Amino acid sequence: MKAPADLYAPSSRAYAGLQDLHYPFHDRDILVTNCGRICMHRKKINISHVLAGQRLGIKEVDDAIWLVSFMSYDLGYIDLEQRTLQTIDNPFGTRLSPMS
């Protein structure tokens, strides 16, 4: 059995990162801070450190309730009164395991 280092070869392509994200069907886009928050209406809402530096699309779907999207995925809803993100169970849809 070979070790991973025996099989690994670095990619010849340089990683350029994500393209600039645009959300034409949302009310606006918002930048996630380095600490994983967004600021809306003078309120700080924790999103995730994973999305730090990325743009999210937000759309008001009800009074003080906002839909939050990343790329083409709806992540959840922000309630400005509670200052929380209520995530959608599985924003990436169902996926069958290759082992099943």
Side-chain angles (χ1 to χ4, degrees):
M1 179 176 217
K2 294 184 179 185
D6 297 332
L7 302 173
Y8 172 77
S11 175
S12 60
R13 297 180 297 160
Y15 177 67
L18 293 176
Q19 306 171 15
D20 288 339
L21 299 174
H22 301 283
Y23 300 96
F25 299 111
H26 289 72
D27 294 338
R28 60 185 243 210
D29 59 340
I30 195 163
L31 185 67
V32 179
T33 64
N34 288 334
C35 61
R37 294 182 184 157
I38 60 172
C39 300
M40 292 178 58
H41 304 284
R42 296 183 177 219
K43 297 179 181 183
K44 296 177 183 177
I45 298 125
N46 292 323
I47 301 296
S48 174
H49 286 91
V50 173
L51 294 170
Q54 299 298 324
R55 291 216 165 268
L56 303 178
I58 58 173
K59 180 178 182 178
E60 190 168 24
V61 292
D62 202 357
D63 191 34
I65 305 293
W66 294 77
L67 173 67
V68 179
S69 303
F70 177 65
M71 298 177 73
S72 61
Y73 302 103
D74 294 334
L75 301 179
Y77 296 92
I78 290 176
D79 182 347
L80 285 180
E81 297 296 321
Q82 296 179 3
R83 299 181 186 186
T84 58
L85 173 68
Q86 300 297 320
T87 58
I88 294 173
D89 287 339
N90 185 358
F92 306 109
T94 58
R95 184 174 167 196
L96 297 176
S97 169
M99 300 303 286
S100 55

